């Protein structure tokens, strides 16, 4: 099983590519492919045909997946990009910020 340190709902910053430096919220995670879909990042245009009668076709903009290694999680407390870290408190594993030590 492949597990990623990035979860749905995390705020991430893009490290490389055409959207370098942009921040966005993770919409979905694909652990098998090691990819994530980030809001307003890696937007692709898709030509869509109308499938039903009366439906409108046209050009649709949609977020495409990006490799998880190209994004880094942003700490909600200090606002800095941080590498994944975890500690065990009680019987639960908790993700923490390496810069400020806050729980994510």
């Amino acid at each position: 099983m492949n597990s990623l340190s990035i979860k749905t709902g995390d705020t991430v910053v893009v490290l490389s590519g055409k959207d370098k430096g942009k921040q966005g919220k993770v919409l979905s995670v694909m652990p098998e492919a090691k990819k994530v879909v980030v809001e307003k990042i890696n937007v692709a245009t898709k030509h869509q045909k109308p499938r039903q009668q009366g439906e409108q076709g046209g050009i649709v903009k949609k977020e495409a997946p990006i490799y998880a290694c190209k994004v880094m999680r942003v700490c909600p407390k200090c606002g800095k990009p941080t590498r994944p870290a975890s500690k065990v408190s009680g019987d639960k594993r908790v993700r923490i910020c390496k810069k400020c030590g806050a729980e994510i």
Side-chain angles (χ1 to χ4, degrees):
M1 182 178 145
N2 295 325
S3 64
L4 297 175
S5 61
I6 298 166
K7 308 285 182 224
T8 303
D10 285 349
T11 304
V12 293
V13 64
V14 181
L15 301 175
S16 65
K18 64 179 181 183
D19 295 318
K20 182 178 178 179
K22 291 184 183 177
Q23 284 191 9
K25 189 176 160 187
V26 176
L27 300 174
S28 66
V29 178
M30 299 168 227
E32 317 82 42
K34 294 188 172 126
K35 291 186 176 190
V36 292
V37 177
V38 185
E39 189 176 39
K40 296 179 185 164
I41 302 293
N42 197 24
V43 178
T45 54
K46 180 182 175 184
H47 296 264
Q48 196 166 25
K49 285 175 78 173
R51 293 286 170 205
Q52 296 174 347
Q53 196 171 5
E55 193 177 276
Q56 189 75 25
I59 299 171
V60 179
K61 291 192 182 285
K62 188 178 178 187
E63 290 97 354
I66 185 171
Y67 278 105
C69 62
K70 296 196 177 279
V71 296
M72 188 179 274
R73 198 172 64 209
V74 175
C75 175
K77 187 179 177 194
C78 64
K80 295 178 184 174
T82 180
R83 290 195 319 277
S86 63
K87 68 176 182 178
V88 178
S89 62
D91 58 343
K92 281 192 146 190
R93 196 184 106 223
V94 181
R95 299 185 303 160
I96 59 167
C97 173
K98 280 203 173 178
K99 307 259 174 151
C100 66
E103 206 173 286
I104 298 175

